[in-house]
Amino acid sequence: MIPYSKQSVNHEDLEALKEALFSSHLTQGQRVSEFESLVAARAGAPFALALNSATSALYCAYAALGIGQNDEVITTPISFVATTNMLLALGAKPVFCDILPNGNIDPSKIEPLITPRTRAIVSVDYAGQSVAVNSIAHIAKKHGLLWISDSSHAFGARVGDLPVGSFADATIFSFHAIKPITTAEGGAVVFKDAEAHKKAQLLHSHGVQKKALWNSEVEFLGFNFRLNELGAALGISQYKRLDSFIAKRDSIARLYDSLLADSPFCTTLAREPHLTTTHHLYPVFLALSLWCSKESLFAQLHEKGIGAQVHYKPINSYALYGADSRATPAANDFYLSELSLPCHQEMSEEQAREIVQTFNALCAKESNACAT
Ligand SMILES: *Cc1c(COP(=O)(O)O)cnc(C)c1O
């Protein structure tokens, strides 16, 4: 099975892991801080905190910026559910905003959703392509709202020359196995503000503040959301290849773009020349006549060893979120049409060609099935 995304590890990663494993500290050593410095530098942000997952990073970012009970947060339904689960964990209410054809939150739909209780906008860089940073920053500033970017797909992405991570009040990255680079499990949050960073640091490690000698103080509840030294060692080693991973996925994506350019079966994401995307996903959007066959297409692709996936079922259609997505029709259509084809740095161009051939053959067959 060719998965939709996949890690790429090599001998250098193994050596870095071995060194960390036999070092004095398996956790709470120097490698985590070293990794944090790399993340901060790449994200163009002054403060970075590494954690054991992006989910923990989302929780700490929200909490550190003061989002809590009864706050409303305007966000996108087209994301992994962790984006909003961590709002619920803090007693905040996600308010779902509709999306653009590229899967990102539609800035023109945000303002009508603002109420006196709105505290923040949480956007997601779908597939690794940045949201419209200027529009969102403008709306946030105009209404005194926080802006938090779940950039779990987008570590290494850019807008012009500026890195994703340099725009929002807080930006979250995931280093889950199949994200742009990996620490096996892991995540990070970068902040503009030193105070928020300090608060998140306490939250992610028991809330314990060291005083003199053995003495410490605890003023509020904290957890253990720390990244360990093995994960950090892997992350440092992987970071050296981030740009080559992005370049490889870009070449696969360009090949798909050209092979699918005149397809009667689907459209693809429009390329935006000023954006450097990580291509964490390669989504295609089925023609309306194929929506009825998406399940069948999905199953047949899997039978033929092509691990297509769907990103995402709208979060507002889940039971936990009230199972009512009528307020976001564009997100619903996005869900009905979207399929993610395999796109990762371990794939060959030959495989991409075969995937398109198989996809076209199956679509041709299904097109007739839909018509009858
Ligand atoms: C992967 C992902 C997460 C969660 O990341 P973990 O590191 O697995 O906790 C959150 N948000 C989005 C958009 C993701 O894709």
Side-chain angles (χ1 to χ4, degrees):
M1 181 76 83
I2 307 173
Y4 75 87
S5 180
K6 187 174 188 234
Q7 71 276 15
S8 177
V9 293
N10 69 8
H11 203 73
E12 245 185 84
D13 294 333
L14 180 62
E15 289 307 314
L17 278 168
K18 269 202 232 163
E19 217 178 279
L21 184 61
F22 288 102
S23 71
S24 60
H25 288 71
L26 294 183
T27 186
Q28 295 173 284
Q30 282 312 300
R31 285 176 178 82
V32 169
S33 346
E34 193 189 322
F35 184 53
E36 285 171 343
S37 304
L38 293 174
V39 171
R42 179 59 188 239
F47 308 103
L49 178 69
L51 302 97
N52 59 358
S53 73
T55 304
S56 312
L58 285 162
Y59 181 92
C60 291
Y62 296 156
L65 290 168
I67 293 173
Q69 216 66 37
N70 298 323
D71 288 338
E72 290 178 7
V73 176
I74 298 172
T75 188
T76 169
I78 296 298
S79 183
F80 183 58
V81 70
T83 311
T84 51
N85 277 352
M86 294 304 101
L87 292 171
L88 296 189
L90 287 159
K93 181 186 170 205
V95 174
F96 292 99
C97 178
D98 216 353
I99 60 158
L100 294 167
N102 69 6
N104 286 339
I105 195 166
D106 183 346
S108 76
K109 304 256 161 73
I110 294 176
E111 280 186 308
L113 299 173
I114 295 174
T115 75
R117 300 238 293 251
T118 307
R119 280 294 310 277
I121 300 165
V122 173
S123 58
V124 172
D125 298 324
Y126 180 82
Q129 186 173 59
S130 175
V131 291
V133 290
N134 291 335
S135 313
I136 296 178
H138 174 78
I139 296 165
K141 190 164 180 213
K142 181 171 157 197
H143 297 274
L145 304 176
L146 295 161
W147 171 26
I148 298 152
S149 176
D150 181 350
S151 300
S152 286
H153 299 183
F155 184 59
R158 290 196 166 91
V159 180
D161 293 332
L162 297 174
V164 164
S166 61
F167 303 103
D169 296 297
T171 302
I172 290 90
F173 302 110
S174 175
F175 305 119
H176 176 275
I178 62 166
K179 297 287 163 76
I181 61 167
T182 188
T183 60
E185 293 275 11
V189 50
V190 298
F191 291 102
K192 285 190 173 163
D193 175 50
E195 278 304 304
H197 175 246
K198 180 91 205 330
K199 182 96 197 272
Q201 217 161 23
L202 288 172
L203 274 166
H204 105 299
S205 193
H206 310 288
V208 171
Q209 308 183 52
K210 289 212 159 59
K211 300 275 178 198
L213 304 175
W214 64 84
N215 197 13
S216 60
E217 185 55 272
V218 178
E219 289 171 19
F220 56 84
L221 180 76
F223 301 87
N224 179 354
F225 290 157
R226 294 188 301 254
L227 182 66
N228 64 55
E229 290 287 292
L230 299 182
L234 181 56
I236 293 165
S237 176
Q238 288 259 306
Y239 179 74
K240 296 180 189 147
R241 305 203 300 290
L242 172 61
D243 286 314
S244 73
F245 289 171
I246 291 174
K248 179 65 199 290
R249 286 194 301 269
D250 191 52
S251 74
I252 298 285
R254 279 178 195 277
L255 179 59
Y256 276 140
D257 284 352
S258 71
L259 296 173
L260 294 168
D262 303 313
S263 173
F265 306 123
C266 69
T267 59
T268 60
L269 273 185
R271 277 198 174 256
E272 302 204 40
H274 69 296
L275 298 178
T276 307
T277 160
T278 63
H279 297 288
H280 166 59
L281 303 174
Y282 188 86
V284 298
F285 306 98
L286 297 174
L288 189 59
S289 62
L290 282 164
W291 290 10
C292 68
S293 327
K294 184 157 133 172
E295 287 178 13
S296 161
L297 270 176
F298 183 97
Q300 291 181 77
L301 285 166
H302 279 236
E303 267 167 35
K304 295 193 182 298
I306 299 169
Q309 211 16 289
V310 172
H311 298 93
Y312 290 97
K313 178 172 169 177
I315 297 175
N316 45 358
S317 67
Y318 286 120
L320 180 63
Y321 292 86
D324 182 356
S325 59
R326 283 172 300 182
T328 55
N332 291 338
D333 285 355
F334 190 89
Y335 170 55
L336 292 174
S337 70
E338 197 271 347
L339 264 183
S340 303
L341 297 183
C343 182
H344 55 77
Q345 53 275 13
E346 298 273 287
M347 260 176 75
S348 65
E349 299 207 339
E350 192 49 39
Q351 283 176 317
R353 287 180 196 281
E354 283 168 17
I355 287 167
V356 171
Q357 268 175 14
T358 306
F359 173 76
N360 284 340
L362 292 174
C363 287
K365 209 174 72 186
E366 289 293 331
S367 283
N368 297 334
C370 273
T372 53

